[in-house]
Amino acid sequence: MFINNRLGLLESTETLLAQEQRLNQVSNNLANVDTPGFKKENVTFWEMLYKANQNRQRVGKALRINTIQEQGVVQKTDNPLDVAISGDGFFKVQTPAGIRYTRAGNFQRNNIGQLVTPAGYPVVGDGGPIAIEGQKVDIAPDGRLFVDGAQVNTLAIATYEDPRDMIKEGENLFRLKDNAQEQVPLNFVLQQGHLEKSNVNTVTEMTEMIDLYRAYESQQKAIRAVDDLDDLAVRRVGSLG
Amino acid sequence: MIRSLFSGRTGMTGQQLQLDTIANNLANVNTAGFKKSRAQFEDLYYQELRAMGTETADGGQIPAGIQVGLGVRPTSVQKIFTQGSLTETGNELDWAIEGSGFFKVQRDGEDYFTRSGAFTLNADGTIVTQNGDRLQPEFTVPTGTNVITIDANGMLTAKDAEQNVLATTQVTLHNFINPGGLRSVGGNLFKETDASGAPTEANPGSEGLGTISQRFMEVSNVDVTEELVNMIITQRAYEVNSKSVQTADKLLEVANTLVR
């Protein structure tokens, strides 16, 4: 009986859920404000037209989560195995599930002397996994890796053609979509002893939070109003005094 | 109201950039040859709600339209190439440039430019910077050199203990049409770009280039007082923009509480 009202409720509820998704992204971004190599995400919505019944269409929300690949802040750590990329490109790491990409350059040595991520995945170089059998490691801005003065390998740096091909997988890793090709990045500079931190800007996230909170509040008021109408209809209409 | 929320945000992130620049200047207040940076801003797009000059219904023209600004955006962070003051060090390989111009040095086969004249000799006797970059045109002092002098016009003379001249060379300086367009690569070095133009080489003291003062160092051109005042202004501007954000929030709250 309240078909029109119900549709209003449906749309409002969808918007509430959409704003909650936005809040999820904002919270995740804020939680990772200090994570090395983290790339923030935001949500874009667009309207989709659904057919509610033969008389009416309703507007629904579809959403997509985008990763923003902006350069993060580069911090000096003086750790010889920390490397930061200034510009385009990702480090390549070998995981049991295949080649993955990361911007987090906080590398370590494992027990057999290979250069690995903190999770233990070996970093890929142009000449295979990078073995460090020596004391002093020097990394040139173009990726060449020297151990005790002699070049042993070059860090492999790769990038994407379409930003939507790089999918976040967690553990600071990205995965290339199946049919996407790697590309050699045009301009990048590696800085040893530096670490690229997250690209999350607290002020931006805070204002997003204010914006979505107020939007959520408005929608809640809309639901309240619909409910009041129902209430009136149920209790008042047709009562005689 | 939503517009003011995002305008306030652009204001705050703009001031963050300004503070980053000021902090870098202050960190390098003692770096020889350092040139301070200045962040420049411009206003963002304007949303035209009603265009001026459009015709009204009765054939007249609208004299003033409605344009709402959307905030601020940084346009550039530019290096300011004013002369730093000279301080006497007494070191014969400390050369300060009084006026415009850069020394050219080479690292890994690439040319870089610098104002920092803190040179030294490497194991072969070649004149290099503190990082080992060779001064161009390259010059190696002959063995037995006791004293190196360089005059205001860049003529370098290497003499032995008996004041005999062992070798001389002409040190040149390089100038750019737009030094603000040079790329800073750190390490007191600059690199040529399309924006800076090609360098013109000449002897110091000629063609508008500065002169060389031996035994002096050019200190950074950062003025601590100026930076501190800018820092206060930046902090207040940040605060004031946060007020825009907070007020926009309050207005939205009021709008939302119109319904009980």
Side-chain angles (χ1 to χ4, degrees):
Chain A
M1 50 177 162
F2 307 124
I3 267 289
N4 290 340
N5 289 348
R6 285 296 177 260
L7 274 178
L9 271 184
L10 209 51
E11 289 174 10
S12 293
T13 313
E14 231 176 34
T15 308
L16 282 184
L17 293 175
Q19 298 300 341
E20 270 181 28
Q21 262 289 31
R22 244 174 112 191
L23 184 59
N24 287 342
Q25 289 314 123
V26 168
S27 307
N28 189 37
N29 289 343
L30 282 176
N32 284 291
V33 79
D34 232 356
T35 310
F38 181 80
K39 297 297 168 197
K40 68 184 174 191
E41 290 166 313
N42 66 11
V43 180
T44 44
F45 299 116
W46 66 93
E47 294 177 356
M48 280 178 60
L49 291 180
Y50 295 104
K51 220 155 181 324
N53 54 34
Q54 64 265 45
N55 300 325
R56 207 172 131 160
Q57 282 181 316
R58 73 173 188 86
V59 174
K61 275 186 144 59
L63 65 81
R64 186 179 67 212
I65 299 177
N66 310 312
T67 310
I68 311 287
Q69 295 281 2
E70 241 172 39
Q71 171 84 35
V73 170
V74 172
Q75 193 185 42
K76 190 170 194 295
T77 61
D78 285 334
N79 194 343
L81 291 179
D82 278 348
V83 195
I85 304 179
S86 276
D88 309 318
F90 294 78
F91 297 110
K92 279 167 76 161
V93 295
Q94 180 72 49
T95 69
I99 294 275
R100 295 288 181 263
Y101 304 88
T102 182
R103 288 284 286 204
N106 49 344
F107 300 132
Q108 296 167 347
R109 283 225 294 238
N110 67 4
N111 54 356
I112 48 176
Q114 283 183 329
L115 192 68
V116 295
T117 67
Y121 304 127
V123 180
V124 171
D126 284 344
I130 299 173
I132 300 175
E133 278 131 28
Q135 286 294 95
K136 194 163 180 317
V137 178
D138 286 302
I139 302 175
D142 58 3
R144 288 172 297 158
L145 198 137
F146 301 85
V147 176
D148 290 335
Q151 179 173 5
V152 291
N153 215 326
T154 308
L155 282 168
I157 309 286
T159 187
Y160 49 77
E161 211 175 309
D162 187 342
R164 285 172 299 177
D165 288 339
M166 269 295 183
I167 302 169
K168 261 202 198 186
E169 247 199 4
E171 285 190 295
N172 271 347
L173 297 176
F174 289 87
R175 175 173 60 93
L176 254 191
K177 259 201 210 162
D178 292 323
N179 47 351
Q181 290 287 21
E182 252 180 38
Q183 259 197 342
V184 176
L186 293 173
N187 53 342
F188 66 89
V189 171
L190 296 188
Q191 289 169 293
Q192 189 185 13
H194 292 73
L195 195 54
E196 183 189 8
K197 306 288 265 186
S198 142
N199 69 350
V200 170
N201 185 332
T202 321
V203 168
T204 313
E205 301 305 318
M206 289 309 219
T207 45
E208 279 296 307
M209 204 145 67
I210 292 178
D211 190 37
L212 70 88
Y213 174 70
R214 295 301 171 193
Y216 194 92
E217 210 180 22
S218 310
Q219 278 305 316
Q220 180 244 325
K221 299 295 183 185
I223 293 180
R224 205 46 180 292
V226 165
D227 186 49
D228 281 351
L229 289 178
D230 281 355
D231 186 60
L232 271 180
V234 164
R235 291 200 294 118
R236 295 300 214 64
V237 168
S239 79
L240 299 165
Chain B
M1 269 165 279
I2 304 291
R3 250 182 241 122
S4 51
L5 192 64
F6 296 116
S7 297
R9 170 162 97 185
T10 62
M12 287 171 88
T13 43
Q15 295 308 318
Q16 273 177 343
L17 180 68
Q18 180 77 285
L19 190 61
D20 288 342
T21 317
I22 294 172
N24 186 43
N25 289 344
L26 283 175
N28 283 291
V29 74
N30 258 336
T31 308
F34 180 78
K35 297 299 167 196
K36 65 188 171 193
S37 298
R38 218 21 105 229
Q40 314 282 10
F41 297 95
E42 66 180 13
D43 44 2
L44 258 183
Y45 312 104
Y46 285 83
Q47 218 180 342
E48 224 169 57
L49 301 177
R50 189 164 78 155
M52 49 285 274
T54 48
E55 282 198 14
T56 58
D58 55 352
Q61 246 192 2
I62 297 179
I66 304 178
Q67 272 186 315
V68 184
L70 291 171
V72 75
R73 163 174 68 184
T75 40
S76 64
V77 176
Q78 213 186 18
K79 287 243 174 235
I80 310 288
F81 283 94
T82 51
Q83 174 82 37
S85 35
L86 302 186
T87 174
E88 188 163 4
T89 62
N91 199 342
E92 69 181 6
L93 283 173
D94 278 346
W95 305 338
I97 304 175
E98 225 177 322
S100 51
F102 296 82
F103 292 110
K104 182 156 92 166
V105 297
Q106 205 178 67
R107 174 192 285 190
D108 281 344
E110 297 232 14
D111 286 334
Y112 295 89
F113 299 88
T114 181
R115 284 286 290 198
S116 167
F119 294 109
T120 180
L121 293 179
N122 70 1
D124 303 322
T126 316
I127 299 181
V128 292
T129 67
Q130 304 291 339
N131 278 332
D133 312 319
R134 296 155 195 276
L135 173 67
Q136 303 291 312
E138 264 184 52
F139 179 68
T140 308
V141 297
T143 43
T145 303
N146 195 285
V147 156
I148 299 174
T149 55
I150 182 167
D151 70 1
N153 292 359
M155 180 56 72
L156 188 150
T157 317
K159 295 200 193 117
D160 67 7
E162 287 92 40
Q163 303 292 332
N164 297 327
V165 173
L166 295 175
T168 63
T169 187
Q170 173 71 48
V171 173
T172 54
L173 289 182
H174 303 255
N175 212 350
F176 292 90
I177 300 176
N178 177 22
L182 287 168
R183 171 170 293 140
S184 317
V185 296
N188 281 343
L189 298 177
F190 296 99
K191 210 165 187 325
E192 174 191 345
T193 64
D194 290 334
S196 65
T200 49
E201 185 176 2
N203 292 346
S206 69
E207 289 178 45
L209 286 169
T211 54
I212 295 186
S213 306
Q214 192 182 17
R215 297 197 162 78
F216 281 84
M217 279 299 305
E218 183 190 15
V219 289
S220 127
N221 69 349
V222 172
D223 179 0
V224 170
T225 318
E226 183 190 2
E227 300 300 324
L228 286 177
V229 167
N230 282 336
M231 204 146 69
I232 294 175
I233 297 175
T234 306
Q235 188 185 354
R236 289 301 169 197
Y238 191 86
E239 214 177 296
V240 139
N241 277 289
S242 79
K243 290 282 179 242
S244 300
V245 170
Q246 281 175 343
T247 309
D249 183 40
K250 287 251 167 45
L251 293 181
L252 283 172
E253 185 181 347
V254 167
N256 280 339
T257 48
L258 280 176
V259 176
R260 178 189 40 89

